[in-house]
Amino acid sequence: MSLLSVRQLDRETVDELLERAAVLAGASAPRRKRGTVVNLFYEPSTRTSLSFQIAAQRLGMHVLDFGVDRSSIQKGESLLDTLQTLESLGVDIVVIRHSDDWPSLLSGHRFKMSLVNAGSGIYEHPTQALVDALTIKEYFGTLRGLTVTIVGDIRHSRVARSNAHLLQMMGSRVQFAGPPQFRADDIPGCTWVDFDEALPESDVLMMLRVQLERHEGKHEMEHYHREFGLNKERLAVLNRQALILHPGPVNRNVEIADVVLQDRRCRILRQVQLGVAVRMAVLEWCFGNNRFGQAVSA
Ligand code: CP
């Protein structure tokens, strides 16, 4: 089994993964020894990369950090050839982060090993959406009926796209706020709202990093913080029971003021903690269901 997109998950599978991750987050979680995992990251990462490594170690799997910069990718080896090489080496699961929509690039190619999407361009970050869903569910006990406001650079955000699909499927209402140049028109089901008006009515406020590395032009960050940053004044208006999330890394005093990180409603480090359990559940799910060769379908 591979995990390439939140679109391949149905409600039952999301529930299964979240329930398993919740168990794995506990101290008495079982530890099993099996499989080899390779982390193949073409883009920088702290949380996703390390949590997959820790998750694999906790499951007793062998885990290898690929090191794109010192590999034959530097000699021009393609993603497909790299993956076929890893498969020939007997790897069971490859965790891939790439600046392109790599599941589409590989569409139709058949692999015996599993591929896990750890970020594909602006399109998908399925395990981050699962982490966010578990963080919300742990706090509210459900995802159904909640209003989730995702704020910021929606246009360039794979986190926004994966969350919008997964959270709506699980019964949440997802809405977006942000500057006009960061709007996206390819995400179904979500409305655009005024940020300040959304604060009292939001159960979850998901702040996004301004993805400067994906922009052609530069943006005035001081202006951005004034218009769309979560600051002390906006904290006072935010629903007292609301949850503040951010996938990380945080641009302090751009999308989030320092003071927000001290607020009791802020669960950013809990997201990081739950990231390990979610990735354990995903690795188990992929490995446990990987009985046949499978073609990539984006
Ligand atoms: N949320 C997230 O993907 O963080 P990293 O880039 O540090 O992995």
Side-chain angles (χ1 to χ4, degrees):
M1 180 67 72
S2 294
L3 175 61
L4 306 178
S5 163
V6 288
R7 282 167 182 74
Q8 82 186 74
L9 303 175
D10 56 22
R11 281 189 204 166
E12 288 70 30
T13 308
V14 171
D15 278 333
E16 181 192 333
L17 286 168
L18 296 184
E19 277 163 26
R20 183 64 183 145
V23 170
L24 291 167
S28 60
R31 306 282 182 257
R32 273 178 262 177
K33 185 169 181 64
R34 55 187 191 180
T36 298
V37 180
V38 168
N39 257 3
L40 176 58
F41 279 56
Y42 288 77
E43 288 189 327
S45 168
T46 298
R47 280 149 283 269
T48 314
S49 167
L50 287 176
S51 62
F52 266 113
Q53 288 183 53
I54 293 166
Q57 283 170 357
R58 287 197 184 163
L59 290 168
M61 294 172 157
H62 298 287
V63 57
L64 303 167
D65 192 17
F66 187 89
V68 165
D69 290 348
R70 56 178 193 280
S71 74
S72 288
I73 291 167
Q74 300 307 316
K75 303 174 203 167
E77 192 163 40
S78 70
L79 174 60
L80 176 60
D81 289 338
T82 300
L83 290 174
Q84 286 174 338
T85 302
L86 293 176
E87 185 161 74
S88 301
L89 288 167
V91 170
D92 298 294
I93 301 175
V94 187
V95 181
I96 306 172
R97 173 172 288 190
H98 199 287
S99 57
D100 282 327
D101 180 12
W102 65 262
S104 294
L105 295 178
L106 295 175
S107 189
H109 290 285
R110 187 168 284 276
F111 295 96
K112 289 195 200 76
M113 60 187 184
S114 301
L115 308 180
V116 178
N117 192 347
S120 51
I122 63 168
Y123 300 101
E124 281 268 11
H125 196 343
T127 62
Q128 182 66 48
L130 288 166
V131 167
D132 298 342
L134 183 58
T135 311
I136 296 168
K137 194 173 175 192
E138 180 185 65
Y139 184 75
F140 289 104
T142 183
L143 296 167
R144 187 157 292 283
L146 299 176
T147 297
V148 180
T149 306
I150 307 180
V151 184
D153 187 0
I154 309 294
R155 186 172 171 199
H156 302 98
S157 177
R158 53 195 175 209
V159 174
R161 283 179 178 76
S162 286
N163 262 306
H165 181 85
L166 187 137
L167 291 174
Q168 288 188 99
M169 179 176 71
M170 301 307 286
S172 300
R173 180 163 72 102
V174 177
Q175 54 189 23
F176 296 137
Q181 69 270 26
F182 291 161
R183 287 190 174 212
D185 52 19
D186 64 326
I187 308 176
C190 305
T191 50
W192 284 84
V193 294
D194 180 87
F195 179 32
D196 286 296
E197 286 176 12
L199 291 172
E201 63 166 35
S202 298
D203 299 299
V204 179
L205 198 60
M206 189 181 294
M207 306 301 294
L208 297 179
R209 183 172 68 85
V210 178
Q211 306 257 314
L212 284 172
E213 72 275 24
R214 301 191 203 281
H215 295 182
E216 280 146 26
K218 293 274 175 234
H219 298 278
E220 178 48 67
M221 288 302 116
E222 213 171 291
H223 175 72
Y224 182 88
H225 187 63
R226 209 167 38 246
E227 297 295 318
F228 293 99
L230 186 56
N231 55 22
K232 198 174 170 186
E233 291 70 34
R234 289 190 170 113
L235 274 183
V237 181
L238 180 65
N239 183 339
R240 290 169 65 81
Q241 309 306 324
L243 200 57
I244 301 166
L245 303 181
H246 189 304
V250 168
N251 287 320
R252 281 174 181 251
N253 302 310
V254 178
E255 66 269 5
I256 275 190
D258 284 339
V259 67
V260 175
L261 301 168
Q262 313 303 326
D263 193 276
R264 63 171 177 78
R265 293 166 287 186
C266 181
R267 293 290 199 284
I268 294 174
L269 292 178
R270 185 61 181 154
Q271 288 173 274
V272 177
Q273 283 177 333
L274 291 175
V276 174
V278 163
R279 277 135 193 158
M280 287 172 77
V282 166
L283 290 175
E284 265 193 354
W285 180 73
C286 289
F287 194 81
N289 289 295
N290 197 9
R291 294 186 185 87
F292 310 102
Q294 54 200 326
V296 176
S297 70

